[in-house]
Structure formats: C-alpha cells, structure tokens
Amino acid sequence: MNDPFTLNIDKASLEVMSDQKDRALLSLAPKAWESQFFKRKFSELTVDVRGVGKVTPQTFCNLLQKTTQFADEQGYRIIEATLDVRGFDLIPAMEDAGFRLVDSKVTFLTRIEKSALPRFEVQTGRIGWAEPSDLDNIIDLTVTGFVDNPRFFSRFKNRRYFSREESCAYYSAWIGNHFNDPGSLFAVWRQEGRCVGYFFYQHREPKEDYPVLKGMLTAVDRRYQSQKAHLALQCFTFDQLEYPVFYVDNTTQFSNFAVIKNHITAQRRLSAISMV
C-alpha cells in the first residue's frame, strides 16, 4: 500500500494509520474469549467512520481489502465489525468485502435522579436479589426468551454462523460469567419460590463522576408477562443503590420497536446507533 497510509502489524493485529499517524482508520484485533469458546478464530474490526469519511470510496475499498486479506492470512474465520450509523454509506463496500448485517444497537444514555423515578411493583410474588439456586431458571428463561424467540435477532444466534447448540452454550456461558461478576446486579422475580423473571445490570465506567449502570438483559416467563415485571425489577434495583443520581445505559436493537418507543416515552436520551 502506498503512502499516505501506514500498516502497523503486531502479531495477529493490524492498524491502518492515516497520513497524520495520529489515528487508526481501520484496526483488526483478535477476540480471545470467543475464539477459545467456539474453537475457531474470531477477530474484531474497528472502523473510524470520521477518518474514513475523508478518503475516497475506492480508497476505503482498498484499505478494507488489505485488512480482510490480513485476516485471511491469520486464519480468522469470523470478523466482527460494529459500524456507527454515521458510516452508513460504507455498507456497500463492506458487503462487497463479504460482511453481512447480523445485529444492531440503539443506545440511550440518560442521567437519572432516583427520587424522580415512577414506582412499579408486582402484584404477586416477590422481587429480590438472585441466588445461586436461581441460575438454572435464569438460563432457561434466556434460552426461551432469546435463543428460541424468532423476533429476537443477535449475531450469536444467526444460523449462518452458529448452530442452536452453540447459541445455547454461548448464552449459558455469558449469563454464568455475568452472574458471578461482582459488578453485576441481578434482580429476580419469584413465584412460590421459583424464579419467573430477571433483570440484570452491570456497573460501567463513570460519566461526569456519576456511576453508570448498563441494562444487560431481562426475561420473564411467558405465563407472567404483561404485568410490567421488568419495570418492577428495575425499580427494585435502583432502590438498592446508595447514590441519588446516576446514568443508565439502555441498549436495544432496531427490531425492538416497542422497547425503543418506551424509552422515548420515558424521555431516555438517544446516544448512539450502530450496526454489527
């Protein structure tokens, strides 16, 4: 590749640097956990849409070709790229290079004052923190609500790349890892001592010196849906927090129209949209 671009190669990683050498237009790095778990090599492609927007479409195609060629040489089976929606015009070139849309993210990041939040409570059963004995039910709810739900779309249940058994194994491991993470807040709804719903958050890096909680996943047994249990679980979690003001990261998908509509109604603040 001719200047003004520079390729920085470090073992299994690659950076395509701009002529100012101050930012990587494209960078490719291995995804260690996924590679080990699925027994095939995964990598992640990061695209600086602002920087790439300053080059010609043909130049971007050439840069992308160099990057995917390097990935092939490294034996990567899957390249995962998350593209900010401001780079929407780059999609044709990425499709030409073999990429396919498999997931999406719509992120609302909102400053919350706990005292101003509306109250929600369940009419039956009890809400509390999850215990180890709840984990099997939580995994079952996840498989039913996500893996076997045709209305839920995710890269890790896309049958072009993963079998159902792999999807179930992934979500089981993902839930299990978060369940044992001290940074997770797992609230569960129990009926007659059995977990029939959950909602869990994770602590993220603070913003403006305020704590940030990211909503990770929620699922409710179909027999107990339509009772706003997820809002009651959220309310319980926020009640336990010792700080009066914090940020909440609510991230969902393009296809989850009802949730997006609810976030807008609740005056959640749109922060980012991206495609995977």
Side-chain angles (χ1 to χ4, degrees), residues 83-273:
L83 190 67
D84 187 284
V85 72
R86 289 170 291 186
F88 194 86
D89 59 318
L90 303 177
I91 289 179
M94 297 193 72
E95 289 179 332
D96 289 344
F99 287 89
R100 296 292 180 267
L101 181 65
V102 294
D103 212 340
S104 58
K105 298 177 183 179
V106 182
T107 298
F108 295 82
L109 185 62
T110 312
R111 186 174 179 269
I112 299 292
E113 292 188 15
K114 188 164 66 171
S115 62
L117 288 172
R119 303 294 307 174
F120 294 93
E121 296 183 4
V122 291
Q123 300 303 310
T124 61
R126 299 184 64 182
I127 289 177
W129 291 126
E131 299 175 357
S133 58
D134 296 312
L135 183 56
D136 286 344
N137 282 340
I138 288 172
I139 290 175
D140 287 344
L141 289 170
T142 304
V143 170
T144 300
F146 298 98
V147 176
D148 293 336
N149 181 357
R151 292 175 297 176
F152 174 72
F153 301 94
S154 165
R155 59 198 182 282
F156 288 111
K157 60 168 287 187
N158 189 302
R159 294 293 167 258
R160 181 184 285 114
Y161 307 107
F162 304 101
S163 66
R164 180 183 180 277
E165 291 71 22
E166 287 178 318
S167 297
C168 290
Y170 168 79
Y171 279 100
S172 297
W174 189 77
I175 286 287
N177 289 342
H178 285 303
F179 192 85
N180 295 312
D181 187 337
S184 295
L185 299 171
F186 253 99
V188 297
W189 180 28
R190 298 187 182 92
Q191 294 281 355
E192 299 180 354
R194 178 178 175 273
C195 172
V196 297
Y198 74 87
F199 198 157
F200 86 95
Y201 285 81
Q202 270 215 320
H203 289 280
R204 289 293 193 252
E205 289 295 320
K207 175 180 172 61
E208 301 168 356
D209 294 327
Y210 291 110
V212 175
L213 289 182
K214 178 178 173 62
M216 301 300 289
L217 210 60
T218 180
V220 176
D221 189 307
R222 290 173 182 170
R223 293 171 292 180
Y224 297 94
Q225 291 178 0
S226 301
Q227 298 186 44
K228 299 185 183 296
H230 67 292
L231 295 176
L233 287 160
Q234 174 184 271
C235 196
F236 168 83
T237 300
F238 293 168
D239 282 347
Q240 311 308 307
L241 302 177
E242 60 184 17
Y243 23 85
V245 180
F246 52 93
Y247 277 90
V248 173
D249 177 340
N250 297 112
T251 298
T252 188
Q253 300 168 307
F254 290 149
S255 57
N256 208 339
F257 177 76
V259 171
I260 292 175
K261 185 178 179 181
N262 287 340
H263 287 331
I264 294 172
T265 301
Q267 297 185 328
R268 295 293 193 253
R269 184 175 179 181
L270 181 63
S271 175
I273 301 175

Side-chain angles (χ1 to χ4, degrees), residues 26 45 47 52 55-66 68 83 87-100:
L26 300 172
L45 175 65
V47 180
V52 168
V55 305
T56 66
Q58 186 57 54
T59 298
F60 174 68
C61 290
N62 294 339
L63 297 174
L64 191 60
Q65 182 180 20
K66 288 286 186 180
T68 55
L83 190 67
F88 194 86
D89 59 318
L90 303 177
I91 289 179
M94 297 193 72
E95 289 179 332
D96 289 344
F99 287 89
R100 296 292 180 267

